[in-house]
Amino acid sequence: MKIFFAIDKTTRANKVKKLLFKKYKNFTPYNSNVIVVVGGDGFMLESLKKYRKFNKPFYGINSGTFGFLMNKFNRDNIIKNILKSKPISISPL
């Protein structure tokens, strides 16, 4: 699976980034199969707007405060978790 990581610039997201990049390669949005967003809900919404033109599925990893739109971080099983996730469709207003 080819993953593009969109990572927020927060301290917490940076820690997750270091762990992820030790194990996974970061592809371009164009060459990826999925876009993994690491951050909070606000960053997820920004990323959806910015990268929707690539027509790829998104998977969110919470490194923010609440993370209603995000999943818990587990560096060992990201691909497994992505494959097990249930797709939902949202439409912009």
Side-chain angles (χ1 to χ4, degrees):
M1 177 174 291
K2 297 178 180 178
I3 303 172
F4 169 69
F5 293 98
I7 301 174
D8 201 356
K9 295 184 183 343
T10 64
T11 303
R12 202 183 284 175
N14 194 37
K15 289 178 184 178
V16 173
K17 173 185 175 179
K18 289 178 183 178
L19 295 171
L20 290 172
F21 285 1
K22 285 182 182 178
K23 187 166 184 171
Y24 302 100
K25 181 178 177 184
N26 192 21
F27 289 85
T28 65
Y30 179 77
N31 292 323
S32 67
N33 303 103
V34 63
I35 296 172
V36 173
V37 179
V38 180
D41 290 344
F43 187 69
M44 171 59 100
L45 294 171
E46 287 176 28
S47 298
L48 287 168
K49 183 177 178 183
K50 183 175 181 178
Y51 297 112
R52 72 176 178 208
K53 62 187 171 200
F54 294 103
N55 200 26
K56 309 281 177 158
F58 286 78
Y59 182 84
I61 296 177
N62 185 25
S63 70
T65 307
F66 297 108
F68 295 111
L69 302 173
M70 311 300 262
N71 300 285
K72 291 180 182 176
F73 173 60
N74 183 344
R75 71 177 167 174
D76 297 325
N77 296 317
I78 290 176
I79 293 174
K80 179 180 165 187
N81 290 341
I82 291 170
L83 294 173
K84 283 181 17 180
S85 64
K86 296 177 185 175
I88 61 165
S89 179
I90 59 171
S91 300
L93 297 176

